[in-house]
Amino acid sequence: PAKQKRPPAARTDAQQAAAKLLAFVGAESRSLRLHFSALVAVPFAHGAHVFMPATALDRGLLLRLLATLQKRLGRFDDKCVHATQAFFETLPAHGGLSLPQLDAALSRAKQVGVESRAFERRLEVGGGGGAAAAPAAAAPAA
C-alpha cells in the first residue's frame, strides 16, 4: 500500500503569532527557523534557529520574542520599537491573547511607524514638535 501523507499538524496560536511577528520584523528574520518546546523557558536564538517556549500566547511572550529577534538581527530596527509601543498600547498586560488581538497590535505598530516618520519629517523641515521645540514658559512671579 502507498504511504499516505499526514496532514501538517495544526499550528498553535503562539506558533502563528511568532510567524506573524517574524514577517512583520522583515526579510532578514524570515530565514530564521522557529522551534517550540516545553523544555524552553524563554525565547533565545542560536544561529538561524529561534527556540520558543511551548506556552500560551501572551504579551510577555511576544515582547521576549521581539527582543530576541532584535538581538538576532544585530542592528537597531524601528519596526521592533514600533511593535513594542503597539503591544503596550493595545495588548492586555495579563492573560492570554487571540490572533485577532495580535493582528490589531501589528496594525497599530504600522500606524506608529507612519506617525513616527511624519514627526521626523516635521523636525527636519523645522516644524518642530513636542516639548523640546516649544518655547519655555515664563515662570510665574513670586
Side-chain angles (χ1 to χ4, degrees), residues 62-81:
L62 289 174
L63 289 168
R64 287 188 294 277
L65 174 58
L66 191 58
T68 300
L69 293 176
Q70 174 114 19
K71 183 172 174 135
R72 179 65 187 88
L73 290 174
R75 61 177 168 72
F76 180 81
D77 191 318
D78 283 339
K79 287 182 180 179
C80 292
V81 175

Side-chain angles (χ1 to χ4, degrees), residues 39-65:
L39 301 175
V40 174
V42 295
F44 70 94
H46 179 75
H49 302 273
V50 176
F51 298 88
M52 296 277 302
T55 61
L57 178 62
D58 65 14
R59 185 175 80 179
L61 179 65
L62 289 174
L63 289 168
R64 287 188 294 277
L65 174 58

Side-chain angles (χ1 to χ4, degrees), residues 81-122:
V81 175
H82 302 154
T84 300
Q85 177 178 334
F87 289 173
F88 278 104
E89 287 180 356
T90 63
L91 299 177
H94 304 286
L97 298 177
S98 67
L99 291 174
Q101 285 175 300
L102 174 61
D103 291 338
L106 292 177
S107 291
R108 174 63 186 137
K110 290 175 187 172
Q111 182 60 34
V112 168
V114 169
E115 293 168 4
S116 176
R117 287 185 294 280
F119 178 77
E120 290 170 0
R121 279 193 300 274
R122 284 194 307 272

